[in-house]
């Protein structure tokens, strides 16, 4: 069995590392000390397409499984963004998994709930 990452997975890891590096420990310390929400980080996550991971292409998503989500989360943390920031990505993955299940087993109304 081959466990090597494919080209798309490598690109995801590289993008995640770079994004994590843009928002390193100093950024988070400043936000924590000032009691501020990390708006810039979450906007950058959206700009780079992280919120579309796991959603079908026909709905503007990027097909990805739990492996790709885990790779992105790990690389964001390793890049410097920290573990707490990745919680949103994990929660988003749960939402996309709910979407997939609803799409297969439910109605259109439930999919967009």
């Amino acid at each position: 069995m081959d466990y090597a990452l494919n080209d798309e997975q490598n690109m995801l890891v590289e993008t995640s590392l770079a994004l994590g590096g843009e928002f390193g420990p100093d950024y988070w310390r400043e936000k924590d000390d000032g009691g501020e929400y990390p708006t810039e980080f979450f906007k950058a996550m959206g700009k780079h397409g992280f919120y579309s991971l796991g959603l079908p292409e026909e709905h503007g998503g990027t097909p990805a499984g739990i492996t790709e989500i885990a790779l992105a989360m790990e690389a964001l943390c390793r890049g410097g963004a920290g573990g707490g920031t990745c919680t949103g990505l994990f929660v988003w993955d749960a939402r996309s998994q709910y979407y997939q299940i609803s799409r297969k087993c439910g109605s259109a109304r439930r999919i967009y709930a």
Side-chain angles (χ1 to χ4, degrees):
M1 184 172 243
D2 183 12
Y3 292 103
L5 300 182
N6 64 37
D7 290 341
E8 290 177 350
Q9 291 170 328
N10 280 317
M11 185 175 66
L12 180 61
V13 169
E14 290 171 16
T15 301
S16 300
L17 281 170
L19 182 61
E22 290 178 33
F23 297 93
D26 291 337
Y27 171 82
W28 296 103
R29 191 173 299 110
E30 181 181 311
K31 293 296 179 186
D32 284 346
D33 290 347
E36 301 172 46
Y37 187 77
T39 303
E40 303 85 2
F41 173 77
F42 288 106
K43 283 184 178 181
M45 293 264 296
K47 178 183 171 189
H48 289 294
F50 283 93
Y51 299 132
S52 70
L53 288 174
L55 294 176
E57 288 179 284
E58 64 264 23
H59 296 289
T62 304
I66 194 67
T67 299
E68 288 76 20
I69 301 290
L71 287 169
M73 290 172 63
E74 190 275 335
L76 280 166
C77 293
R78 191 164 30 110
T85 62
C86 296
T87 303
L89 189 56
F90 181 73
V91 168
W92 186 256
D93 179 57
R95 171 80 176 159
S96 70
Q97 297 302 321
Y98 168 79
Y99 172 86
Q100 295 294 337
I101 293 167
S102 295
R103 193 171 134 241
K104 290 179 183 176
C105 305
S107 65
R109 192 179 111 211
R110 179 167 286 300
I111 292 171
Y112 296 104

